[in-house]
Amino acid sequence: MKIVVISGSPRKNANTQVIMKYVFEYTKSKNQDTKFINLSEGLIEYYRGPDVEYNEATKTAASDIMDADVWLIGSPIYNSFFSSALKNLFEYIDYKKTPGKVAGITILAAGNVGFVNVQTLITQLLSYFRVIANPKAVFLTTESVSENSVTDKDVQNRLKEMVDETLEIASKLHKD
């Protein structure tokens, strides 16, 4: 099974990226065929249409997403929405190559508001791609990260549970 972990924050040293690096390391310990797309690296170009030649990082990220069986997506909440950098990334994805994939969602906010709304928006986007979303998203506040790491055991367990449940859903769907 191929897995891609996506950190949807464009900010350098973002808390979302710290959380999604934790998700990546845990997932990679369970499945070596796991790749990490970190939007804070600034390498993904803005989508300008289908007939434009994009840089290698952009083409590789799009290819990795379309090739993966499982997407583990993390996004901050910006202005009551998921990040525009994350939406931009999905402009490159061909919906004809994504039906039946499975996604897990982690959402990060400064306070305890807006989680369900943003989960709904991400789930609607995934629905367009005919991707099955794990209904149990992980909602975290910025207090979940301290000193550039995820140290809270409860948060670690919730993230691991999301990964495990998402992989279990995918394995049930992709049984041969």
Side-chain angles (χ1 to χ4, degrees):
M1 193 167 8
K2 294 180 180 180
I3 304 167
V4 65
V5 176
I6 302 168
S7 176
S9 175
R11 294 181 178 173
K12 298 282 183 214
N13 305 315
N15 288 325
T16 302
Q17 113 178 254
V18 171
I19 290 165
M20 296 315 290
K21 281 181 179 176
Y22 180 86
V23 168
F24 171 72
E25 292 301 327
Y26 177 71
T27 306
K28 194 154 179 84
S29 76
K30 300 179 90 42
N31 183 320
Q32 283 300 303
D33 200 355
T34 301
K35 296 185 178 177
F36 187 61
I37 298 171
N38 185 355
L39 297 182
S40 73
E41 292 173 351
L43 302 175
I44 306 300
E45 294 181 89
Y46 285 102
Y47 185 75
R48 300 181 307 280
D51 300 325
V52 175
E53 185 63 28
Y54 294 98
N55 68 25
E56 205 54 43
T58 301
K59 291 189 280 189
T60 299
S63 176
D64 288 346
I65 291 169
M66 288 183 285
D67 289 345
D69 303 298
V70 176
W71 303 345
L72 299 172
I73 302 167
S75 180
I77 296 177
Y78 293 151
N79 299 319
S80 299
F81 216 83
F82 57 87
S83 80
S84 60
L86 183 62
K87 173 60 171 79
N88 178 69
L89 178 64
F90 280 95
E91 296 295 338
Y92 297 98
I93 307 307
D94 181 352
Y95 72 93
K96 294 174 186 164
K97 296 181 180 176
T98 57
K101 295 180 185 301
V102 178
I105 303 166
T106 301
I107 301 169
L108 181 73
N112 283 311
V113 295
F115 290 115
V116 175
N117 293 339
V118 173
Q119 178 187 17
T120 300
L121 293 168
I122 293 173
T123 302
Q124 287 173 332
L125 178 65
L126 295 172
S127 179
Y128 170 78
F129 291 103
R130 292 177 254 152
V131 171
I132 298 155
N134 178 344
K136 190 174 179 185
V138 178
F139 303 144
L140 300 172
T141 62
T142 53
E143 288 129 20
S144 303
V145 176
S146 67
E147 299 177 22
N148 282 329
S149 67
V150 179
T151 55
D152 184 297
K153 293 294 182 201
D154 177 58
V155 170
Q156 290 176 355
N157 290 335
R158 289 169 46 211
L159 291 167
K160 289 176 182 177
E161 186 176 289
M162 180 274 297
V163 170
D164 293 342
E165 288 177 359
T166 304
L167 295 179
E168 184 177 343
I169 293 167
S171 69
K172 286 179 180 177
L173 287 172
H174 296 121
K175 277 186 180 175
D176 293 327

